[in-house]
Amino acid sequence: MAIRREVPGIRPYDGPAGGWGALRATTQAIRLQMESVKAPITLLRTNQPDGFDCPGCAWPDKEHRSTFQFCENGAKAVTWEATTKRVPPSFFASNTVSSLLQMSDFELEDMGRITHPMVYDRATDTFRAVEWEDAFARIGEILRGLSPEQVDFYTSGRASNEAAYLFQLLAREYGTNNFPDCSNMCHEPTSVGLPQSIGIGKGTVSLDDFDHCELIISIGHNPGTNHPRMMGTLHEVSRRNVPIIVFNPLRERALERFADPQNWLEMATYGSTRIASTYYQVDAGGDAAALKGIMKALLAMDAAQGNILDRDFIAIYTEGFDAFAADLDTTSWEDIEKASGLARADLEAVAKLYAESNATIVTYGMGVTQHCRGTANVRLIADLLFLRGNFGKPGAGICPLRGHSNVQGNRTVGITEKPSEDFLKRMEDVFGFSLPRGHGRDAVKTAQAMIDGKCKALICLGGNFAVALPDSDQSFPAMKTLDLSVHLGTKLNRTHLLVAKETYLFPCLGRTELDVQANGPQSVTVEDSMSMVHASAGKLTPASEQLRSEPAIIAGIAQATLPNTKVAWPDLIADYDRIRDLIEKTVPGFDSFNDRIRVPGGFRLPLPPTERKWPTPSGKAVFSVYGGVKEDADVLGGENVLRLMTIRSHDQYNTTIYALDDRYRGVFGRRDVLFMNESDMTARGLEHGDVVDIETIVTGRQLRLKGLTAIAYENIVRGSVAAYYPEANVLVPLDYIDKESGTPSYKSIPVRVVRAEAT
Ligand SMILES: Nc1nc2c(c(=O)[nH]1)N[C@H]1C(S)=C(S)[C@@H](COP(=O)(O)OP(=O)(O)OC[C@H]3O[C@@H](n4cnc5c(=O)[nH]c(N)nc54)[C@H](O)[C@@H]3O)O[C@H]1N2
Ligand SMILES: Nc1nc2c(c(=O)[nH]1)N[C@H]1C(S)=C(S)[C@@H](COP(=O)(O)OP(=O)(O)OC[C@H]3O[C@@H](n4cnc5c(=O)[nH]c(N)nc54)[C@H](O)[C@@H]3O)O[C@H]1N2
Ligand SMILES: [Mo]
């Protein structure tokens, strides 16, 4: 092979995931953000029974009482919040909003924690400090002047159950179900698809199941970066010699080899453990075809030799098998191979391993959900598990990897634009006012409503809404059409800076900080990916005396907006046990809530499918028909087309960029790259290091991202390309969504890549 030119910041990373590289990176994160004296104590309190829940990811902890589970990205999340850096009012006074908007997401958040409530001042184009009560009064005045359907309430999944519950209470007493939330851009296909298949929109496995499984199929998630504590689990499973089959267009280092920093022998010997037993580089968007191939092969094996399908399970617990099987019959191997990019023999091999396993877990993430048929993808995974009765037995089940640390809890306590009648009735019984019935807006619909002038005010409980949304060319200007935007946040981001006529920034306590109210120190609760609910209590001195807790800020807005409110807001804030009492009364599964969270480790919410009970309309688990193998119309699949996946680097948490490296993928100090298979580059006359422009193939508008450096990346499958989120969000059309769930198709955007135009 010809010697490639050197490209700055691009060099292969040969180490395993985890290991010494992870320890070094943790030390670095501490050094850059915190005093090194305080840091170790803070980190030791992460995920301990009397400490706080890690704001990193939603992966559970074994009993929540083991010694600190080392996790590089958890450490980054904690130090990023517990940083000693600050952005006080004097900083805002000397920097206009227009100048701040020139800064990157990384630079903005790296400046540190916001210390005072701030209001935008148009005359000077700066934010200035404001008194909390004055701010609340003005917000109340504006909201009372608008009609509830003009107002949207956005939630990012880090909010606690208590904050989220009060937020939905405020919005519903005010009169709207407009609850765009980060789930709408994330696992909504799980929340929509799984209830149709198994009756609930959550995963069914617990950590114990990983001790008993005989096979794991991992589809479209990158745990080494996004759920690092899961690596310890996968490491143990691999050491039991259990096969782990991975489907991913990218070969991700952590799914290949991992050195567990908790394992002294592996560390001392620079050893590592294989994770994937087989790695299939499926085409982006090709998972449905691959799943159908595996199931087709399984049915063929059953027809030939019998005893492959769990016929009893299918007969007793499910419906829809015949139509499902007929659809597989009419799907040709030729179509399956073409759409998945995988060979029939490979899919048959997976079917064989699946047939040999008595207990299988399928884990999946954004590679499955963020597609225009994301919901249908999720249902196919359930179909696969039904075929061999992989629900309601030890070691088996479905495991969606949730995103934010409490995104699942937010939904449980009522953050949804489509509330159930049952929930609304319970709320009405307890609170004595009537609640709005119509469905509200989700994230993409809210963006659309801002563009159309139908949404006039946006209240954000955390997050970075505009930057997380697709189609920045439309989403960014839309924020500026609002009469009012209000942001509860810890650090400055670009959504805050896309100011409305009036904009307020409310700095809130983070997870790590002590929250003292009238009745003393408070704890909050969160629900992890496996439906375990437990308490979280911050310990650090707050970043500023001015900070308020999220529940307190929400209560402040509520009292100012709803003069005749029937909710005793100040009492609820004085003691969060009272908020939990209300949750217990209105949300099923929270009996004796306050008692049970005082037990270390908390408790598990009921999951009927684990007992082979299916809360679907028919009371049965439901097989579904995918129909075809493609996720979008042929017209998007022309010859010159590549599929763009927008992905997270190792040094980022969604729109929060901790640093500019992506160690495992061999990218250092930059994010302006496009990962390409060398053959796709050659076909376009491109070389490693060439600067390219990317254009989305849509009709009507031009969506372009200019000036990325294309790198020949041997770990990406031909036909798929990858660039970083959120820089590449300009390329995702706002209406290119999964119609069933409203989730944007962030993972397979049809694009053309060309050499950059000389300017
Ligand atoms: N450190 C850190 N932790 C995080 C986050 C973070 O940004 N940083 N984000 C949190 C959030 S909100 C979420 S939702 C999760 C996200 O966690 P993940 O679900 O892991 O999300 P991504 O990194 O976006 O992409 C996952 C993988 O999908 C693969 N992929 C892309 N397209 C396809 C496809 O068509 N098929 C298949 N099979 N694979 C595909 C990509 O190559 C990538 O490896 O992590 C959470 N935890
Ligand atoms: N192209 C592309 N776009 C995507 C995705 C993708 O894979 N590709 N992924 C999507 C996914 S899965 C998700 S979940 C969304 C994420 O969308 P969001 O949840 O909206 O975004 P985050 O980046 O997590 O939000 C970061 C901000 O949260 C605030 N914050 C941090 N901690 C706290 C806290 O304790 N309290 C409060 N109130 N605020 C806090 C800080 O101000 C910080 O700037 O993005 C989506 N967008
Ligand atoms: Mo997410």
Side-chain angles (χ1 to χ4, degrees):
M1 196 173 73
I3 294 179
R4 278 201 195 130
R5 71 164 90 139
E6 288 277 312
V7 180
I10 307 301
R11 48 178 193 274
Y13 183 77
D14 297 326
W20 289 102
L23 283 182
R24 257 193 308 276
T26 308
T27 321
Q28 171 91 342
I30 293 171
R31 192 169 56 75
L32 292 176
Q33 297 298 334
M34 293 178 79
E35 295 157 32
S36 40
V37 242
K38 260 207 271 175
I41 305 165
T42 308
L43 291 176
L44 283 169
R45 284 187 178 135
T46 315
N47 291 344
Q48 294 303 299
D50 64 338
F52 52 84
D53 183 69
C54 180
C57 72
W59 187 254
D61 287 286
K62 255 196 177 157
E63 292 161 17
H64 244 262
R65 60 175 95 186
S66 53
T67 50
F68 170 61
Q69 295 219 343
F70 173 84
C71 160
E72 172 191 347
N73 278 346
K76 283 185 208 154
V78 169
T79 53
W80 194 252
E81 179 177 299
T83 180
T84 40
K85 302 182 188 182
R86 300 286 179 268
V87 266
S90 58
F91 169 85
F92 284 102
S94 51
N95 289 280
T96 61
V97 166
S98 320
S99 69
L100 292 174
L101 258 178
Q102 303 304 312
M103 296 170 71
S104 68
D105 296 304
F106 166 61
E107 291 164 323
L108 285 173
E109 285 210 30
D110 190 40
M111 292 189 305
R113 296 283 298 274
I114 308 169
T115 60
H116 283 68
M118 308 296 293
V119 60
Y120 179 63
D121 178 43
R122 192 159 290 278
T124 57
D125 188 32
T126 55
F127 276 101
R128 64 176 160 75
V130 62
E131 295 298 325
W132 282 106
E133 300 311 320
D134 295 346
F136 293 150
R138 177 62 189 144
I139 291 167
E141 194 179 359
I142 299 174
L143 291 182
R144 282 198 305 278
L146 292 170
S147 74
E149 61 275 17
Q150 292 177 301
V151 183
D152 292 57
F153 291 81
Y154 177 69
T155 314
S156 169
R158 192 177 286 200
S160 62
N161 288 333
E162 290 72 10
Y165 186 80
L166 292 190
F167 199 54
Q168 64 84 33
L169 185 59
L170 154 64
R172 292 201 163 104
E173 190 176 16
Y174 173 66
T176 182
N177 283 319
N178 287 337
F179 288 109
D181 77 330
C182 70
S183 262
N184 301 144
M185 301 181 261
C186 180
H187 261 295
E188 197 64 53
T190 299
S191 305
V192 173
L194 280 188
Q196 297 164 348
S197 300
I198 61 170
I200 57 160
K202 300 180 180 187
T204 63
V205 299
S206 67
L207 271 184
D208 284 345
D209 287 316
F210 285 85
D211 295 337
H212 303 287
C213 66
E214 297 181 16
L215 171 70
I216 292 179
I217 301 179
S218 146
I219 316 178
H221 67 103
N222 182 22
T225 291
N226 298 321
H227 303 91
R229 280 176 297 117
M230 182 189 196
M231 292 312 302
T233 308
L234 291 177
H235 188 263
E236 281 172 30
V237 171
S238 166
R239 293 192 153 217
R240 283 201 293 118
N241 272 327
V242 168
I244 300 175
I245 303 174
V246 171
F247 289 89
N248 195 316
L250 275 169
R251 291 187 77 90
E252 303 281 23
R253 179 55 46 86
L255 288 168
E256 297 181 305
R257 282 184 290 137
F258 178 71
D260 189 350
Q262 322 267 350
N263 181 320
W264 63 269
L265 188 62
E266 214 161 58
M267 293 296 278
T269 57
Y270 292 88
S272 64
T273 299
R274 70 91 186 147
I275 299 297
S277 50
T278 334
Y279 208 119
Y280 293 110
Q281 286 187 276
V282 61
D283 284 352
D287 302 277
L291 285 162
K292 285 185 81 169
I294 298 167
M295 295 192 280
K296 190 177 169 74
L298 204 71
L299 261 54
M301 283 168 71
D302 189 70
Q305 63 194 72
N307 264 343
I308 299 288
L309 303 184
D310 186 337
R311 293 274 173 194
D312 287 346
F313 181 91
I314 295 172
I316 299 168
Y317 299 113
T318 73
E319 63 181 18
F321 176 77
D322 292 343
F324 158 82
D327 176 57
L328 285 183
D329 243 9
T330 57
T331 310
S332 73
W333 275 110
E334 194 189 348
D335 284 350
I336 289 172
E337 289 190 318
K338 194 158 171 249
S340 66
L342 299 173
R344 173 176 178 171
D346 287 337
L347 297 171
E348 285 173 340
V350 177
K352 191 158 173 293
L353 278 175
Y354 182 50
E356 285 163 6
S357 157
N358 292 310
T360 299
I361 294 175
V362 180
T363 61
Y364 70 93
M366 297 299 101
V368 165
T369 60
Q370 292 176 334
H371 287 282
C372 19
R373 294 186 73 187
T375 303
N377 284 345
V378 169
R379 286 192 302 254
L380 271 183
I381 294 177
D383 288 344
L384 175 70
L385 290 166
F386 294 151
L387 289 177
R388 291 193 35 82
N390 279 305
F391 283 102
K393 67 181 178 190
I398 193 159
C399 179
L401 287 148
R402 291 280 169 176
H404 272 293
S405 48
N406 194 40
V407 62
Q408 188 161 315
N410 288 182
R411 189 50 62 85
T412 303
V413 301
I415 299 293
T416 169
E417 72 281 4
K418 291 175 279 196
S420 69
E421 186 55 31
D422 184 48
F423 173 68
L424 294 176
K425 280 220 185 87
R426 284 167 187 260
M427 293 277 291
E428 286 176 338
D429 285 350
V430 170
F431 292 102
F433 50 78
S434 60
L435 274 77
R437 284 300 191 279
H439 286 181
R441 291 190 278 259
D442 63 12
V444 166
K445 286 200 180 119
T446 296
Q448 200 62 57
M450 295 194 300
I451 294 165
D452 299 341
K454 290 183 186 148
C455 165
K456 284 290 163 203
L458 179 69
I459 320 290
C460 295
L461 176 54
N464 192 359
F465 184 51
V467 179
L469 275 172
D471 220 332
S472 324
D473 289 347
Q474 291 209 71
S475 306
F476 280 33
M479 291 292 301
K480 299 188 176 182
T481 65
L482 296 170
D483 288 347
L484 171 72
S485 59
V486 177
H487 304 280
L488 282 69
T490 47
K491 289 187 159 187
L492 199 56
N493 63 43
R494 282 191 289 162
T495 303
H496 303 158
L497 298 170
L498 296 165
V499 286
K501 262 193 209 124
E502 296 184 46
T503 293
Y504 289 87
L505 288 188
F506 288 154
C508 60
L509 296 174
R511 281 268 173 87
T512 56
E513 289 164 321
L514 191 62
D515 180 357
V516 183
Q517 302 294 346
N519 283 8
Q522 303 296 315
S523 59
V524 292
T525 60
V526 293
E527 175 185 341
D528 66 30
S529 251
M530 295 183 184
S531 303
M532 293 293 302
V533 178
H534 56 80
S536 169
K539 293 282 182 329
L540 299 183
T541 310
S544 137
E545 286 179 357
Q546 285 280 328
L547 301 193
R548 291 198 181 173
S549 74
E550 289 173 339
I553 300 171
I554 295 163
I557 298 175
Q559 286 168 272
T561 307
L562 307 163
N564 303 319
T565 179
K566 295 203 169 151
V567 179
W569 297 97
D571 290 352
L572 298 181
I573 300 312
D575 190 337
Y576 297 174
D577 275 3
R578 296 171 187 155
I579 307 176
R580 286 185 283 272
D581 285 338
L582 291 174
I583 295 178
E584 178 175 339
K585 284 188 192 143
T586 46
V587 184
F590 286 91
D591 313 327
S592 314
F593 192 5
N594 277 310
D595 295 337
R596 287 200 287 168
I597 55 148
R598 287 181 166 77
V599 177
F603 63 95
R604 194 165 197 215
L605 290 170
L607 293 169
T610 61
E611 299 158 39
R612 300 195 164 176
K613 295 192 179 125
W614 321 96
T616 55
S618 64
K620 298 244 175 182
V622 181
F623 272 100
S624 354
V625 171
Y626 183 89
V629 285
K630 293 214 184 92
E631 63 171 313
D632 55 18
D634 270 337
V635 63
L636 301 175
E639 273 305 296
N640 217 358
V641 174
L642 295 166
R643 289 281 165 176
L644 172 74
M645 313 182 268
T646 56
I647 54 170
R648 296 163 161 78
S649 79
H650 191 61
D651 276 353
Q652 89 182 68
Y653 193 94
N654 297 340
T655 69
T656 295
I657 312 299
Y658 301 126
L660 301 179
D661 294 350
D662 193 5
R663 194 168 75 241
Y664 300 151
R665 300 196 186 108
V667 179
F668 300 90
R670 60 189 302 179
R671 294 174 52 85
D672 57 344
V673 295
L674 180 71
F675 297 90
M676 284 185 89
N677 184 289
E678 191 148 21
S679 64
D680 289 327
M681 297 185 75
T682 313
R684 286 161 185 76
L686 296 170
E687 280 180 42
H688 184 59
D690 278 352
V691 178
V692 295
D693 293 343
I694 310 169
E695 196 188 329
T696 304
I697 300 170
V698 276
T699 45
R701 288 174 55 223
Q702 209 176 46
L703 275 69
R704 245 182 191 215
L705 179 58
K706 293 188 171 190
L708 291 193
T709 295
I711 55 174
Y713 191 61
E714 59 181 13
N715 292 326
I716 193 165
V717 72
R718 191 176 175 165
S720 303
V721 293
Y724 293 120
Y725 144 58
E727 288 85 342
N729 286 32
V730 281
L731 292 167
V732 191
L734 193 57
D735 57 1
Y736 190 51
I737 56 172
D738 170 25
K739 297 216 166 49
E740 291 187 76
S741 68
T743 304
S745 182
Y746 293 118
K747 292 288 193 273
S748 56
I749 308 134
V751 294
R752 223 168 259 133
V753 175
V754 293
R755 187 184 302 279
E757 286 167 14
T759 42

